[in-house]
Amino acid sequence: MEVIIQPTYAQLVAVSAEIIRDALLKKPHLVLGLATGSTPIGLYEALVRMHKTEGLDFSSVTTFNLDEYVGIRPNHPYSYHTFMKTHFFNAINIPTENCHIPQSTAEAHEEFCENYEEAIVNAGGIDIQVLGIGTDGHIGFNEPSSSLGSRTRIKTLTQSTLEANAPHFGGTVDAVPKMAITMGVGTIMEAKRCLLMASGESKAEAIAHAVEGPITAEVPASALQMHPHTVVIIDEAAASNLKRADYYKQAYANKQKLLSHRE
Ligand code: GLP
């Protein structure tokens, strides 16, 4: 696991956006796994800026979103379909048919989940999976106790996730959909590269468990310790519970030095 600690949210966003830009410049048919939540909003803003100012081209990119609530219409103001259109898809030149988001109805969900997995494989697999993290260590909507080998399926959300998402649904927990379709931990682990972003002190405990704790279904993000190419990009506040923060900073500084010698 590579851990990159940046002083601020703006800087962690800049590093994340550069990773995606470099990958896209090398491979125009990039397959991106995308996340919602407040954390990646700055990343999408940065990529939109790169599209507008540098002509970063998304016309051959394919995307797969991690998850979606079950039981709300795709055009619901707080659906992840709406989130992605608002923050990203409507502002770049990606063809609509290249953007995949789990369906927001529970109808025929088993068949849908199988097809979603198949579509990822048919696209050649996910090159970079963007991830946020819940305060309880969840990734996507893989709540604590999710199998670390799980695939795309329906999950019931925990009380803490319902509470965390209540502000998006008018402030009442009752208004938050109780279930979601999410890529599984096993699905995420098959991405060629994972980019886990976290900001703020509220994520410090989850990040410490995910990066330095034991690998356990109690902290689904800890499975990423077994992933061969995961980059954890966090700000100082989210890094504040890490025991080895100084080492990660040193390692990143050395890597930058090495890269600058090569140029
Ligand atoms: C939700 C999403 C996750 C996201 C998490 C954290 O549970 N399903 O994908 O990582 O929220 O969101 P935020 O970035 O707003 O803290």
Side-chain angles (χ1 to χ4, degrees):
M1 235 177 197
E2 180 181 13
V3 182
I4 302 177
I5 302 171
Q6 292 291 303
T8 64
Y9 174 71
Q11 282 154 299
L12 86 85
V13 156
V15 173
S16 310
E18 272 164 33
I19 290 175
I20 293 181
R21 172 176 52 194
D22 290 351
L24 181 49
L25 292 176
K26 278 194 201 120
K27 183 179 178 186
H29 285 83
L30 197 69
V31 181
L32 282 174
L34 298 177
T36 52
S38 50
T39 312
I41 290 179
L43 169 67
Y44 298 141
E45 283 170 0
L47 292 172
V48 166
R49 242 185 343 266
M50 288 171 178
H51 168 65
K52 299 216 155 111
T53 60
E54 305 164 16
L56 192 63
D57 181 15
F58 290 87
S59 63
S60 301
V61 168
T62 300
T63 66
F64 290 91
N65 263 76
L66 281 169
D67 47 15
E68 174 62 289
Y69 295 109
V70 165
I72 56 174
R73 293 181 321 277
N75 63 356
H76 184 286
Y78 302 125
S79 75
Y80 287 167
H81 281 74
T82 301
F83 176 100
M84 290 310 300
K85 281 189 195 151
T86 311
H87 292 288
F88 199 33
F89 298 151
N90 285 353
I92 54 170
N93 64 333
I94 189 164
T96 310
E97 62 273 21
N98 290 12
C99 304
H100 306 269
I101 304 181
Q103 69 178 22
S104 44
T105 66
E107 282 156 41
H109 64 86
E110 279 175 10
E111 195 187 338
F112 174 84
C113 293
E114 272 172 36
N115 291 343
Y116 202 69
E117 292 270 340
E118 214 176 286
I120 294 173
V121 172
N122 291 343
I126 291 172
D127 291 302
I128 301 181
Q129 175 65 58
V130 175
L131 294 166
I133 187 168
T135 50
D136 57 4
H138 74 240
I139 44 175
F141 270 129
N142 294 285
E143 300 284 28
S145 82
S146 289
S147 158
L148 301 185
S150 51
R151 315 299 310 188
T152 303
R153 70 215 181 290
I154 282 201
K155 283 294 290 182
T156 292
L157 307 184
T158 60
Q159 188 61 22
S160 90
T161 299
L162 296 177
E163 282 164 18
N165 287 300
H168 301 302
F169 288 86
T172 45
V173 170
D174 284 349
V176 184
K178 305 291 175 286
M179 295 203 282
I181 290 185
T182 180
M183 277 186 207
V185 180
T187 320
I188 293 167
M189 290 291 283
E190 279 171 15
K192 289 165 199 132
R193 210 176 341 167
C194 290
L195 208 159
L196 174 67
M197 304 168 70
S199 164
E201 220 179 305
S202 65
K203 298 294 170 70
E205 203 184 323
I207 285 294
H209 286 306
V211 174
E212 296 177 338
I215 297 171
T216 166
E218 274 304 294
V219 182
S222 66
L224 295 167
Q225 292 177 31
M226 294 290 290
H227 190 280
H229 201 166
T230 285
V231 188
V232 177
I233 309 185
I234 52 184
D235 59 16
E236 286 283 359
S240 56
N241 282 12
L242 288 173
K243 287 192 297 250
R244 298 185 187 281
D246 289 342
Y247 172 71
Y248 306 136
K249 286 180 192 170
Q250 193 58 53
Y252 184 61
N254 285 347
K255 190 175 164 191
Q256 297 304 104
K257 258 188 237 155
L258 213 66
L259 290 176
S260 68
H261 283 317
R262 270 194 219 148
E263 274 161 16

